[in-house]
Amino acid sequence: MAKEFLAEDLLSNLDDEQRLAAESLVGPTCILAGAGTGKTRTITHRIAYGIAKGYYAANRVLALTYTNRAAGELRSRLRALGAAGVQVKTFHAAALSQLEFFWPQFAGVPAPQVLESKGKLIGRAATELGLKLDTAALRDVAAEIEWRKYSMLSIEQYAELVAKRPRVGSLTAEQNLALQEQYELSKVRSQRLDWEDVLILTLGMLRAEPLALSHVQQQYRFFTVDEYQDISPLQHELLDAWMGDHTDLCVVGDPNQTIYSFTGATSDFLRNFATRYEDAKVMQLTQNYRSTQKIVSAANRVVAESNPVDALTSQGEVGDEVRVLQFAHITDEAKEVALAVKEQLAAGVKPNEIAVLYRVNGQSEVFEAALTDQKVDYQLRGGERFFNRPEIARAMTALRAESNSASREDKSTFELVTDVCRSLGWTAREPDAAGAERDRWESLSALIAMLAEMPEGSSLAQFAAELDERKRSQHEPVKPAVTLSTIHAAKGLEWSHVFIVGVTEGYLPIAYAGTAAEIAEEKRLFYVAITRAKRKLSISWSKRDNNSGRELEPSRFLSLVA
């Protein structure tokens, strides 16, 4: 009786739509979750509720995500709900663990190591072919390789359509193909895999080895896939292999946030879920708890013509009007945005509640300079990894050693952690000056703050293990600084105050978006940017690029929000 009460208590704080989704525990379930509607809250409560009701064994549930940050967030929430035994992994991490487990059994040698990045190997292959590529071109080639592999195309199949693919940098179709062939050869010579290979080889291994397939299908029985609109054909084939004949699959996604088709992702699987599973339960989450009514209304207008789901309804205050600002020059735009940010900080807004979003990385430089002029601390998403910082690496080593020590006196975990940080130069008093000393202080303060996220009474050993897990999954703390980010990198995040900058033709939509499908994706990208904002949203553009002197035109999308 007590167990039944606890199970029902898990759903007490969900709204009607969320509760209906959380109570759908068996069979194929599709949750169409609009931006800010509490999808993570819903699926974590659904899993915890299923365990509490006795439908699931925690160790037989696999929750899949696309980013390490999302996996870390799901893992933390499930632990807080008493469902710590659930496996939460990215597709790549799940596949890699299976590959590393089974490869020695069937091949007799350890699995090949995975490349940290394709860039160096692509650069080496380009040099061997006499091609010169800058950093942007290397990134474009890597993206094209990922698209080919996620789309499950061999080099031979890709050769038949490469001429119809969008041009990659300055490369001709022939050079592009030759470079990809050389990259694959270089990879074989160096005995390395890229992350797409991990998925391909795991799928091939499971199809070729019945014992491995049986092992995996017996290990996992219940599946949840977050951001299902971003799944690729390759990932979907692997998911099918893991599931076998079972249909206990819950997927959650938003077709309005499909913005990764350039990597092979497709929302077709989400849209056709009910066609594939005749007994599927399909439900929607439409109550937006993130943004003001004005912001939600603007977002709804952007996708109104092609919206495949019900419009969002804001549960927040009316809020301020969305501001659309025009400037003569990009430097004017950057200066005014920096001044507005400084004004918000002076009014008491926390720096990590402010973001400046743009379409491509190259747009950030002028805004970085303007914020620096105003002495505003900022962070670029994708910058230095928190757990790679020297002071954090030393702290983690010391915490592991301390957790294994037999004589730790009679101190709390908090005291032990702060003692270690003090030994590395941390003090309770914040440094006055900026620079390296302050950076170290902020890093160690962030590590101490992570202790507050642990369950009450956690030991030092448990905290050290949590840090190791967070490093592995790249689940990093939030730095107290203004965020500068591309819109793609901002997906899944939110801030109280958001500035969307450089919203001109050529950037949003991007210049190479020519087809109706490509323009539609750019519009969805704009929707994603808008729905990152909780309280205040400013959208801006400028008439002239100072560097090139090029005249700019406002984005066609601005008429939807002005």
Side-chain angles (χ1 to χ4, degrees):
M1 187 69 179
K3 183 177 180 181
E4 182 76 13
F5 171 76
L6 289 173
E8 295 304 323
D9 197 44
L10 283 167
L11 306 184
S12 61
N13 293 322
L14 302 184
D15 68 28
D16 291 344
E17 291 179 338
Q18 294 169 343
R19 186 183 184 103
L20 183 65
E23 289 175 333
S24 177
L25 296 175
V26 295
T29 301
C30 177
I31 304 171
L32 299 172
T37 57
K39 70 176 180 64
T40 303
R41 177 184 181 84
T42 302
I43 59 176
T44 51
H45 280 73
R46 178 183 181 273
I47 292 170
Y49 181 64
I51 292 170
K53 292 282 286 184
Y55 283 84
Y56 312 149
N59 63 350
R60 300 200 69 193
V61 178
L62 177 60
L64 293 160
T65 70
Y66 295 91
T67 67
N68 290 309
R69 187 197 62 79
E73 176 68 19
L74 275 176
R75 196 177 296 113
S76 297
R77 294 205 195 187
L78 285 168
R79 182 175 58 205
L81 294 172
V86 173
Q87 291 292 302
V88 184
K89 297 182 178 183
T90 64
F91 274 90
H92 291 102
L96 182 60
S97 65
Q98 292 170 24
L99 197 65
E100 290 179 336
F101 180 78
F102 290 114
W103 191 279
Q105 298 179 37
F106 298 117
V109 294
Q113 293 186 338
V114 181
L115 292 167
E116 287 189 14
S117 169
K118 295 182 180 70
K120 288 184 179 179
L121 215 55
I122 295 172
R124 190 184 309 164
T127 300
E128 291 170 350
L129 294 173
L131 300 172
K132 292 185 178 180
L133 301 179
D134 59 18
T135 302
L138 288 173
R139 194 163 50 234
D140 290 343
V141 172
E144 186 69 359
I145 291 171
E146 289 166 13
W147 178 86
R148 170 174 60 82
K149 292 187 170 185
Y150 280 130
S151 301
M152 302 186 72
L153 296 173
S154 66
I155 282 285
E156 294 73 22
Q157 291 170 320
Y158 181 74
E160 295 178 4
L161 54 81
V162 64
K164 299 178 183 178
R165 290 287 297 159
R167 187 160 179 156
V168 180
S170 61
L171 298 176
T172 65
E174 292 75 16
Q175 289 172 328
N176 172 14
L177 182 61
L179 183 54
Q180 292 200 42
E181 290 174 333
Q182 190 67 26
Y183 165 78
E184 296 296 338
L185 288 173
S186 299
K187 196 150 47 65
V188 172
R189 286 200 300 262
S190 63
Q191 295 186 317
R192 293 290 188 271
L193 305 175
D194 58 30
W195 280 108
E196 295 74 52
D197 292 331
V198 171
L199 301 182
I200 292 167
L201 288 177
T202 302
L203 178 60
M205 178 188 66
L206 293 177
R207 286 174 170 174
E209 301 292 347
L211 288 177
L213 182 61
S214 176
H215 180 102
V216 172
Q217 290 178 348
Q218 289 178 26
Q219 180 180 6
Y220 299 119
R221 177 70 172 76
F222 305 95
F223 294 82
T224 297
V225 183
D226 191 16
E227 303 285 7
Y228 193 64
Q229 78 278 351
D230 291 335
I231 199 166
S232 68
L234 174 57
Q235 290 162 329
H236 202 270
E237 287 287 323
L238 187 56
L239 176 63
D240 277 352
W242 288 337
M243 289 182 58
D245 294 331
H246 300 305
T247 60
D248 287 311
L249 170 65
C250 174
V251 302
V252 59
D254 180 5
N256 285 324
Q257 296 189 64
T258 305
I259 58 172
Y260 289 107
S261 65
F262 62 91
T263 67
T266 172
S267 62
D268 289 349
F269 297 110
L270 177 65
R271 294 171 183 269
N272 299 329
F273 190 84
T275 302
R276 186 178 191 206
Y277 297 101
E278 293 183 0
D279 58 338
K281 294 181 282 292
V282 179
M283 49 208 73
Q284 295 190 36
L285 303 183
T286 61
Q287 306 301 309
N288 178 287
Y289 296 94
R290 175 187 299 160
S291 307
T292 65
Q293 293 175 28
K294 293 289 188 181
I295 293 172
V296 167
S297 294
N300 283 335
R301 290 197 298 274
V302 168
V303 295
E305 288 184 6
S306 58
N307 196 356
V309 294
D310 292 345
L312 295 175
T313 302
S314 172
Q315 300 303 300
E317 60 187 19
V318 175
D320 297 336
E321 294 287 347
V322 174
R323 298 199 307 163
V324 178
L325 305 174
Q326 171 188 312
F327 298 94
H329 302 280
I330 287 178
T331 49
D332 295 337
E333 181 181 2
K335 181 180 179 180
E336 289 303 316
V337 167
L339 287 170
V341 168
K342 189 173 183 179
E343 183 180 322
Q344 290 171 0
L345 293 173
V349 179
K350 294 180 179 179
N352 59 352
E353 281 294 339
I354 302 173
V356 179
L357 307 182
Y358 37 82
R359 176 62 175 85
V360 297
N361 285 303
Q363 293 175 273
S364 75
E365 187 176 351
V366 66
F367 293 93
E368 292 180 59
L371 289 169
T372 300
D373 288 343
Q374 296 300 323
K375 296 181 172 53
V376 173
D377 190 22
Y378 65 87
Q379 62 176 342
L380 285 169
R381 276 199 58 77
E384 182 188 10
R385 293 290 185 189
F386 175 82
F387 290 104
N388 290 344
R389 295 174 187 172
E391 64 273 16
I392 298 302
R394 288 195 291 270
M396 290 175 64
T397 299
L399 288 171
R400 281 192 294 268
E402 189 69 19
S403 69
N404 293 325
S405 172
S407 56
R408 293 201 303 272
E409 304 176 6
D410 188 21
K411 290 186 175 181
S412 68
T413 302
F414 178 80
E415 290 174 309
L416 292 167
V417 172
T418 53
D419 284 349
V420 165
C421 291
R422 287 180 197 280
S423 72
L424 296 171
W426 180 85
T427 62
R429 186 175 181 277
E430 181 178 346
D432 294 326
E437 180 186 355
R438 185 181 181 85
D439 288 343
R440 284 193 298 272
W441 182 88
E442 288 180 348
S443 295
L444 292 170
S445 295
L447 185 144
I448 294 170
M450 279 190 271
L451 186 59
E453 300 176 28
M454 296 289 292
E456 188 175 350
S458 294
S459 68
L460 186 63
Q462 289 171 322
F463 182 55
E466 171 70 7
L467 292 177
D468 286 337
E469 172 58 28
R470 288 184 67 149
K471 178 181 180 181
R472 187 196 65 76
S473 64
Q474 297 176 15
H475 183 200
E476 302 183 348
V478 177
K479 181 182 176 183
V482 174
T483 298
L484 270 65
S485 174
T486 64
I487 302 171
H488 280 101
K491 186 169 177 289
L493 303 177
E494 59 184 44
W495 295 270
S496 290
H497 296 60
V498 170
F499 297 85
I500 309 174
V501 299
V503 186
T504 62
E505 290 292 313
Y507 280 124
L508 195 64
I510 200 73
Y512 53 75
T515 68
E518 289 168 342
I519 295 297
E521 179 142 336
E522 292 293 303
K523 188 184 289 187
R524 292 194 296 270
L525 190 62
F526 189 40
Y527 171 86
V528 167
I530 290 170
T531 54
R532 300 311 93 199
K534 293 190 287 187
R535 296 188 61 241
K536 292 183 182 295
L537 174 63
S538 293
I539 305 170
S540 59
W541 69 282
S542 53
K543 292 183 176 181
R544 183 182 294 273
D545 184 328
N546 290 60
N547 294 326
S548 66
R550 183 166 57 94
E551 294 287 339
L552 303 173
E553 295 292 332
S555 168
R556 69 195 75 177
F557 302 150
L558 289 178
S559 63
L560 300 172
V561 296

